[in-house]
């Protein structure tokens, strides 16, 4: 090994690391593009409705982005520790590194970063993902990690989540991930329906769908918390330290968004009962009792156009017909009658 500069020639180098999950980056880019587009057309809306319209758009896009982002996030259960640990198999070399564990709905993500990064004449900076989504085999991905010769801390943590591990973490977190992901997809569909209904003169039903959005998010959190607490925690010891896990940012931001949706849905239901006219005014809709489907483009209501009531519509006018035209119409309708004069 001395002639090779204390390197390990039989192990392949680790793959380049993108600083952010590509799926999350695409979701954030899409929603930011939509937000910028709405901000560009904001000057076309006149009056105080511009502020109300901006508030509705920002809130709606935030809720939709969070529901999609947390569904693909790997930070539902996280933990990190700094420790002195062995580096690779068949070697007595030890390193000082930060080891991180992120458990998501579709798998686990394990990071290993040396402190400093350059140790043993190589760069110690690993970010490995092992998934259990539908159609993917966690055990096969773990076997590929063994063939690649990943560092010992990465393989140690990945082995704890294999199906044959005595810790039982695979079935525990896999079950939690499947049910929580299903609830979040239902919440996303409710969010879409809420946006459609809030753009129409059925605000109370839009509030109900917004309430359902929050309820399904809370159900997803309940499934995740219940499934992950079925078995006692498995000790994760890395070298001279132990790794302890806790709920991550994705869990707490889902809880916050779910509570926000529930409060907004309840507020809309109460406002519909107490001040329905003010609720319609906030959504830039007509305050008439019997609105006709006539859109007024001058109000700038892109997501919720204003409908003109029958009181604002012009009165029908009686147009008198000439005597000749009246007689011709009478003959067409009653050709057998001799006298059709008015």
């Amino acid at each position: 090994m001395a002639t090779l500069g204390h390197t390990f020639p039989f192990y392949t180098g680790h793959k380049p690391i993108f600083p952010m999950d590509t799926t999350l980056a695409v979701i954030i880019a899409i929603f930011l593009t939509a937000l910028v587009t709405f901000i560009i057309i904001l000057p076309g809306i006149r009056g105080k409705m511009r502020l109300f319209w901006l508030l509705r758009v920002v809130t709606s896009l935030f809720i939709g982005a969070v529901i999609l982002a947390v569904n693909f996030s790997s930070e539902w259960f996280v933990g990190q520790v700094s420790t002195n640990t062995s580096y690779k198999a068949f070697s007595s070399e030890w390193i000082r590194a930060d080891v991180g564990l992120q458990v998501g709905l579709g798998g686990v993500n394990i990071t290993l970063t040396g402190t400093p990064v350059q140790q043993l004449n190589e760069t110690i900076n690993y970010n490995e993902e092992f998934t259990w989504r539908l159609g993917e085999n966690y055990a096969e991905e773990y076997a590929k990690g063994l063939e690649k010769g990943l560092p010992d801390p990465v393989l140690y943590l990945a082995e704890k989540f294999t199906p044959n591990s005595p810790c039982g973490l695979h079935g525990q977190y896999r079950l939690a991930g499947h049910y929580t992901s299903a609830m979040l997809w239902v919440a996303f569909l409710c969010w879409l329906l809420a946006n459609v209904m809030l753009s129409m003169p059925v605000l109370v039903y839009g509030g109900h769908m917004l309430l359902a959005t929050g309820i399904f998010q809370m159900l997803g959190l309940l499934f995740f918390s219940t499934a992950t607490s079925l078995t006692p925690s498995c000790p994760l010891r890395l070298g001279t330290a132990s790794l302890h896990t806790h709920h991550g940012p994705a869990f707490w931001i889902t809880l916050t968004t779910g509570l926000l949706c529930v409060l907004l849905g309840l507020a809309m239901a109460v406002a519909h009962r107490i001040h329905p006219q003010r609720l319609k005014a906030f959504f830039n809709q007509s305050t008439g009792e019997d609105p006709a489907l006539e859109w007024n483009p001058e109000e700038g209501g892109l997501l919720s156009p204003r409908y003109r009531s029958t009181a604002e519509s012009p009165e029908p006018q009686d147009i008198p017909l000439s005597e000749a035209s009246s007689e011709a119409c009478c003959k067409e309708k009653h050709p057998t009658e001799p006298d059709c004069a008015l």
Side-chain angles (χ1 to χ4, degrees), residues 264-292:
L264 291 177
L266 292 176
M268 290 188 62
V270 173
H272 179 75
R273 298 281 296 183
I274 300 177
H275 299 291
Q277 306 304 327
R278 292 185 180 182
L279 181 63
K280 293 180 180 180
F282 179 81
F283 284 91
N284 197 23
Q285 293 187 5
S286 172
T287 58
E289 294 296 329
D290 186 18

Side-chain angles (χ1 to χ4, degrees), residues 58-60 62-63 210-211 214 217-218 253-267:
V58 172
T59 304
S60 178
F62 171 76
I63 294 174
L210 194 59
L211 180 62
Q217 291 183 75
M218 304 301 289
I253 194 173
T254 305
L255 177 61
T256 303
T257 309
L259 291 176
L260 176 63
C261 293
V262 171
L263 292 177
L264 291 177
L266 292 176

Side-chain angles (χ1 to χ4, degrees), residues 115-135:
T115 52
V117 177
Q118 295 292 335
Q119 297 185 51
L120 302 181
N121 199 24
E122 64 175 285
T123 301
I124 302 176
N125 189 13
Y126 290 84
N127 189 344
E128 301 295 331
E129 183 181 21
F130 304 87
T131 60
W132 51 59
R133 296 187 182 92
L134 295 177

Side-chain angles (χ1 to χ4, degrees), residues 59 77-78 92 121 188 210 337:
T59 304
F77 228 71
V78 298
S92 59
N121 199 24
F188 183 73
L210 194 59
E337 296 182 6

Side-chain angles (χ1 to χ4, degrees), residues 18 20-32 65-75 250:
F18 188 71
M20 186 178 185
D21 187 359
T22 54
T23 304
L24 293 179
V26 170
I27 293 173
I28 294 175
I30 291 175
F31 280 89
L32 284 180
V66 166
I67 295 175
L68 276 184
V70 298
N71 208 338
F72 296 96
S73 174
S74 60
E75 296 186 352

